[in-house]
């Protein structure tokens, strides 16, 4: 029981404004597939009385590219947080800072990498060990800003999410939300 309390306490540590980092172990040794992260988010929304968000091939593609970039190239250093992108891919580099001054460089990634026509809005989490979908959700539930995106609260209250894409890779988990349908 003490181990579970310690795990939950470690998960609550804030690393970056808008992004969480934890050194807590994952809940299982299995690698979580990326569709399960979207499914966990949708199940949580339904539990809270909200509708499921349609899974988007385009936003999933962006999520998969981003978790690989985060793990392989680590663009999230110095003042750049986990919404940042390296210059080691088929995309424009982006240093996303806590003041959101470069927000558009992140919002544009779906249009830049896919045929998706709208902006993308991302939540991100990291663990030094493999991260599960359930662990990522718990991290985001502990962050008011992330939780608001997932449950359409606060500044997201009048936003209809019509697309979601998610990915998990080497300790990173990201979910992309979009207002436009993915056609």
């Amino acid at each position: 029981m003490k181990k579970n309390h310690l795990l939950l306490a470690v998960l609550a540590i804030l690393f970056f404004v808008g992004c969480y980092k934890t050194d807590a172990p994952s809940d299982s040794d299995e690698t979580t597939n990326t569709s399960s992260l979207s499914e966990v988010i949708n199940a949580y929304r339904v539990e809270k009385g909200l509708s499921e968000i349609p899974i988007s091939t385009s936003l999933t593609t962006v999520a998969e590219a981003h978790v690989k970039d985060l793990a392989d190239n680590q663009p999230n250093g110095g003042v750049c947080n986990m919404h940042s992108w390296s210059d080691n891919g088929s995309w424009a580099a982006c240093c996303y800072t806590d003041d959101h001054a470069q927000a558009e460089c992140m919002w544009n990634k779906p249009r830049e990498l896919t045929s998706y026509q709208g902006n993308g809005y991302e939540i991100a989490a990291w663990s030094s060990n493999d991260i599960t979908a359930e662990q990522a959700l718990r991290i985001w539930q502990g962050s008011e800003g992330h939780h608001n995106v997932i449950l359409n609260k606060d500044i997201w209250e009048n936003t209809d999410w019509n697309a979601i894409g998610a990915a998990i890779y080497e300790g990173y988990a990201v979910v992309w939300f979009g207002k436009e349908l993915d056609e």
Side-chain angles (χ1 to χ4, degrees):
M1 189 63 127
K2 289 181 181 180
K3 187 175 181 180
N4 288 339
H5 289 296
L6 178 61
L7 173 64
L8 292 174
V10 171
L11 289 174
I13 298 171
L14 176 62
F15 182 75
F16 287 111
V17 173
C19 297
Y20 272 84
K21 177 179 176 180
T22 179
D23 292 327
S26 64
D27 292 341
S28 74
D29 293 333
E30 295 180 14
T31 302
T32 305
N33 70 36
T34 59
S35 66
S36 71
L37 183 52
S38 295
E39 292 166 2
V40 165
I41 295 291
N42 273 328
Y44 181 62
R45 285 176 55 83
V46 168
E47 178 186 314
K48 296 298 184 181
L50 299 170
S51 62
E52 288 189 4
I53 306 167
I55 296 175
S56 160
T57 301
S58 295
L59 294 183
T60 300
T61 297
V62 175
E64 289 170 349
H66 197 211
V67 290
K68 286 190 68 74
D69 185 45
L70 287 166
D72 297 345
N73 302 307
Q74 301 178 344
N76 53 316
V79 298
C80 304
N81 67 29
M82 278 195 284
H83 300 304
S84 301
W85 291 70
S86 76
D87 60 0
N88 296 323
S90 62
W91 51 75
C94 171
C95 177
Y96 194 105
T97 55
D98 292 344
D99 63 4
H100 310 287
Q102 299 297 320
E104 284 191 39
C105 74
M106 186 260 290
W107 297 341
N108 289 331
K109 288 301 180 237
R111 283 189 301 277
E112 188 178 336
L113 298 173
T114 70
S115 61
Y116 190 75
Q117 295 301 303
N119 286 342
Y121 304 92
E122 178 187 61
I123 58 176
W126 180 82
S127 172
S128 62
N129 296 311
D130 287 336
I131 192 168
T132 66
E134 294 79 10
Q135 183 182 21
L137 177 60
R138 282 195 306 272
I139 291 168
W140 294 320
Q141 287 170 325
S143 162
E144 185 177 7
H146 291 101
H147 200 234
N148 288 343
V149 173
I150 295 168
L151 296 182
N152 295 98
K153 292 183 175 183
D154 197 37
I155 64 169
W156 307 102
E157 183 177 6
N158 296 316
T159 302
D160 291 326
W161 296 131
N162 289 302
I164 188 173
I168 295 174
Y169 179 74
E170 295 189 4
Y172 288 94
V174 302
V175 179
W176 285 77
F177 297 85
K179 297 176 187 178
E180 287 72 26
L181 290 170
D182 188 10
E183 299 179 23

